[in-house]
Amino acid sequence: MDDYHAQRKQLIADDRALRIDHAAQKEISEEERRADKMLRHIRSSEAVSVWSATQPLKHLHGSQQLFPGMAFLTARETIVGTKLFDILSKMPKGGLLHAHHAAMVRVDVLLKLALSQPAIHIRVPAVLCSATIGTALPEFRGLSRAEWTTHPSITDQRYAPDTWVPIQNARSNFSHALGGPEGFDRWFTNIMTINPSEAYGTHNTTGEIWKKFQSTFIAAQGLIFFEPISTEYIREFFYSSIEDGISYVEVRMAFHQKYMTGADGERNVPHRVWLQLYDHILKEVKADMKQQGREDEFVGSKIIYSILRIITPEEIEWYLEDCIAMKQEFPHLISGFDLIGHEDTLLPLIYYAESLLRFVERQKELGIEIPFMFHAGETLGDGTVADMNLYDAILLGTKRIGHGFSLIKHPKLMQICRERDICVEVCPISNEILRLTGSMPMHPLPAVMNQGVHVALCSDDPAVFGNMGLTFDFYQVFVASEVNNLTTLHELVWDSIRYSALSHEEKECAFEKLERRWNIFVRYILDTYGGAA
Ligand SMILES: O=c1[nH]cnc2c1ncn2[C@@H]1O[C@H](CO)[C@@H](O)[C@H]1O
């Protein structure tokens, strides 16, 4: 039997040697070893004290039982009460490499921003009442002074459908029957987020939930593309990321609309002004952090120029040229190019391949570099167009892959990702809410990591999913694996900087800051939970 045990030990070691965190496992300090032991102890005791099937269900949905890594929307309130969540919330996270600009600020904050702007008006296609509230989608717009109205309400029988009402009036005069002003806030939240009964009940397939998902963006766009809101929105995103321990963000911003609406209600603010504003806020936040003596906590942000995958190859030409022009004017901000939107139903990469290849040539001529950071394989399909996007993403030279949910079906592509060091931006909670997986234990992430493909954990659309920051995604991943330990977390955090679009010097500086904060984090675990292990 000794021989068997020796062989067994060796086989496990050989298997784990392929993992992304293998090399780092040996390098940890004594303090980290102790903190890791505590962390794993807390994970296993909370698996019983919090997540075992014998615990009473607080947030019942369908026939769900409690288990670690269970459906996020039902588990969220339980997660925030755990020790492990407390610890992970203190962890420095490095970079957030996959987040959509249109869904990165908490909905209650967005609502507050909207209510602070008298120019913001709302309209609905029907008088809002109990019969229409579930289906009527509102539209928001910042109007010019001449267009402002004094209409009182969208719930009054006298409301003429599709006429503009100041958002403050709409809220304060929201009918009693629908809950008054708080009812308005609840309605707004329902419009902008996905709730558990939708994800796990009424819209429980990828196709159905994407319909609801899209509607949140349609409703939000009139607010976030109104310049006075847009700037505060971005500032809020930086600060809320910092509060969660994120020190760098690479935002996918949709440049599909050529203009946003200015403070004067005119739709005339071009892309270069968006970037000027972004740059300005970025500088202010950095200066503020420096003044607070918190420079280590924020190294900056860049933008991945993104376009919805609905346009024609003729139309994309304008955007590719625009992207190049923006890169030339803001070389430190534009860090990549991507096509976004539902891969299962919209246009595949191959459709744009010719234009994209010319785009690469143009960059060479101009001596600039805008790496592709393509969404690909965000699908349950096998051999479908969305799955096939993976081949094109790789052939076109993508630097990272957004989602790559179906990547593990392709051994050759996995091999190429290892060889060319292509990092996969994995968005665990997004995948679960958009119904690619039922829970974290079903997610392909361990298969990707165990086979040595590097990963950056990302939140995708945290305003819609409720996974603000990165703590929730780290939590779900950490509780769903017995192999992941403190070193795994360390490697994921370091990879999020390693595979970012930061320059070599910027990375060195970011690692230095991260190292200092990591040591503080390890001390926090030991000091706070020292008695627990
Ligand atoms: O996970 C995703 N995959 C692909 N596209 C997405 C995802 N999340 C958001 N968007 C797209 O980004 C736009 C807002 O900027 C939305 O239209 C949405 O379709």
Side-chain angles (χ1 to χ4, degrees):
M1 211 47 205
D2 285 353
D3 194 29
Y4 181 87
H5 281 298
Q7 282 181 38
R8 185 172 184 274
K9 197 172 164 204
Q10 189 58 46
L11 186 57
I12 295 168
D14 290 349
D15 188 39
R16 301 227 167 124
L18 302 174
R19 278 174 61 92
I20 50 140
D21 56 4
H22 172 66
Q25 294 291 353
K26 296 180 204 122
E27 295 165 9
I28 68 173
S29 69
E30 188 43 41
E31 285 209 322
E32 282 174 307
R33 210 173 294 282
R34 281 174 36 224
D36 175 49
K37 198 171 157 212
M38 263 167 222
L39 207 53
R40 284 186 291 128
H41 172 77
I42 292 169
R43 177 173 63 196
S44 48
S45 49
E46 287 189 332
V48 178
S49 66
V50 178
W51 297 112
S52 81
T54 57
Q55 296 301 318
L57 273 176
K58 274 188 258 165
H59 319 288
L60 187 62
H61 251 284
S63 59
Q64 298 239 21
Q65 302 297 316
L66 287 176
F67 62 92
M70 67 186 278
F72 174 69
L73 296 174
T74 6
R76 193 180 187 282
E77 279 185 60
T78 306
I79 291 174
V80 294
T82 62
K83 288 179 188 163
L84 194 59
F85 183 81
D86 168 64
I87 294 175
L88 293 175
S89 71
K90 305 286 190 308
M91 182 174 81
K93 314 286 193 307
L96 168 55
L97 303 186
H98 188 124
H100 291 265
H101 161 257
M104 58 190 199
V105 166
R106 264 178 31 202
V107 167
D108 57 320
V109 178
L110 178 61
L111 177 58
K112 227 179 257 164
L113 289 175
L115 289 167
S116 74
Q117 298 292 330
I120 292 292
H121 287 60
I122 179 175
R123 65 179 181 185
V124 272
V127 175
L128 219 61
C129 61
S130 56
T132 55
I133 196 165
T135 49
L137 257 196
E139 192 184 338
F140 299 93
R141 195 180 292 174
L143 299 182
S144 70
R145 199 72 174 79
E147 295 169 301
W148 290 15
T149 76
T150 52
H151 295 314
S153 168
I154 52 173
T155 55
D156 190 302
Q157 281 312 314
R158 282 160 297 182
Y159 173 67
D162 277 333
T163 52
W164 294 109
V165 174
I167 186 172
Q168 287 152 346
N169 289 3
R171 182 179 185 274
S172 39
N173 300 324
F174 210 63
S175 73
H176 271 300
L178 295 178
E182 289 77 34
F184 178 90
D185 299 348
R186 276 195 299 277
W187 175 56
F188 185 87
T189 306
N190 274 329
I191 296 292
M192 300 294 181
T193 58
I194 292 176
N195 66 42
S197 56
E198 289 161 343
Y200 312 138
T202 54
H203 296 61
N204 191 6
T205 61
T206 51
E208 284 307 304
I209 200 67
W210 260 90
K211 288 181 196 156
K212 164 73 202 215
F213 186 47
Q214 288 294 20
S215 74
T216 67
F217 293 111
I218 293 167
Q221 74 180 9
L223 298 176
I224 59 176
F225 288 112
F226 179 54
E227 189 194 305
I229 291 182
S230 164
T231 47
E232 291 317 303
Y233 177 91
I234 288 163
R235 191 191 312 279
E236 164 67 26
F237 173 60
F238 291 153
Y239 282 116
S240 66
S241 299
I242 293 167
E243 287 319 308
D244 193 60
I246 295 166
S247 49
Y248 170 72
V249 283
E250 245 165 65
V251 173
R252 278 172 167 82
M253 194 181 263
F255 285 87
H256 191 73
Q257 297 186 49
K258 293 183 180 168
Y259 299 96
M260 75 164 83
T261 304
D264 58 3
E266 300 296 330
R267 201 164 166 155
N268 58 8
V269 183
H271 291 167
R272 56 186 300 274
V273 177
W274 304 12
L275 294 173
Q276 278 168 351
L277 293 169
Y278 198 93
D279 212 16
H280 181 72
I281 298 156
L282 188 53
K283 285 194 181 114
E284 278 184 357
V285 173
K286 281 181 102 169
D288 177 42
M289 292 303 287
K290 187 171 178 180
Q291 210 202 343
Q292 291 184 45
R294 297 168 66 193
E295 258 182 301
D296 279 6
E297 294 178 50
F298 192 54
V299 300
S301 174
K302 293 184 194 284
I303 291 171
I304 299 172
Y305 188 108
S306 304
I307 294 299
L308 271 176
R309 51 198 330 136
I310 55 174
I311 57 178
T312 64
E314 290 74 43
E315 285 167 327
I316 204 176
E317 295 297 335
W318 185 91
Y319 291 103
L320 295 174
E321 277 307 308
D322 183 55
C323 180
I324 286 174
M326 294 305 116
K327 175 69 184 177
Q328 288 174 319
E329 188 171 350
F330 305 92
H332 57 294
L333 275 189
I334 298 292
S335 64
F337 180 87
D338 190 13
L339 286 151
I340 60 176
H342 191 201
E343 282 181 77
D344 281 332
T345 54
L346 303 178
L347 294 161
L349 286 176
I350 183 69
Y351 184 70
Y352 303 105
E354 206 178 325
S355 306
L356 295 170
L357 286 170
R358 266 202 307 275
F359 179 57
V360 174
E361 288 310 308
R362 280 275 290 141
Q363 292 176 48
K364 283 186 196 147
E365 286 161 26
L366 296 167
I368 58 174
E369 211 180 321
I370 311 169
F372 291 136
M373 311 275 197
F374 286 132
H375 272 78
E378 185 189 8
T379 182
L380 287 172
D382 185 29
T384 58
V385 283
D387 180 45
M388 302 291 276
N389 274 336
L390 285 166
Y391 293 108
D392 294 295
I394 285 177
L395 271 178
L396 289 163
T398 202
K399 185 172 185 287
R400 301 196 303 253
I401 294 175
H403 290 285
F405 190 88
S406 65
L407 184 67
I408 51 156
K409 292 173 185 168
H410 306 283
K412 184 68 189 173
L413 301 186
M414 287 287 285
Q415 182 194 335
I416 293 173
C417 286
R418 276 192 299 274
E419 288 168 1
R420 299 190 197 158
D421 217 9
I422 298 170
C423 171
V424 186
E425 302 158 354
V426 177
C427 310
I429 291 174
S430 165
N431 296 155
E432 186 258 295
I433 294 175
L434 296 179
R435 309 322 292 142
L436 294 178
T437 182
S439 65
M440 272 320 289
M442 289 183 197
H443 195 282
L445 174 66
V448 176
M449 286 167 58
N450 290 350
Q451 293 184 56
V453 171
H454 287 263
V455 162
L457 283 192
C458 308
S459 57
D460 205 11
D461 301 280
V464 180
F465 305 140
N467 57 335
M468 290 306 302
L470 275 171
T471 303
F472 288 109
D473 285 276
F474 271 101
Y475 185 94
Q476 288 293 72
V477 167
F478 195 71
V479 296
S481 159
E482 294 295 315
V483 186
N484 290 348
N485 60 14
L486 185 65
T487 310
T488 316
L489 297 175
H490 180 281
E491 280 310 283
L492 287 167
V493 170
W494 258 249
D495 275 353
S496 73
I497 296 295
R498 223 172 262 143
Y499 293 94
S500 73
L502 289 166
S503 70
H504 181 70
E505 293 73 35
E506 288 171 326
K507 281 181 192 173
E508 290 301 302
C509 172
F511 283 136
E512 238 174 67
K513 293 176 171 180
L514 208 45
E515 188 73 48
R516 281 197 287 273
R517 298 184 64 206
W518 186 263
N519 294 336
I520 295 169
F521 167 61
V522 170
R523 274 251 59 95
Y524 172 81
I525 302 176
L526 294 175
D527 291 347
T528 314
Y529 294 99

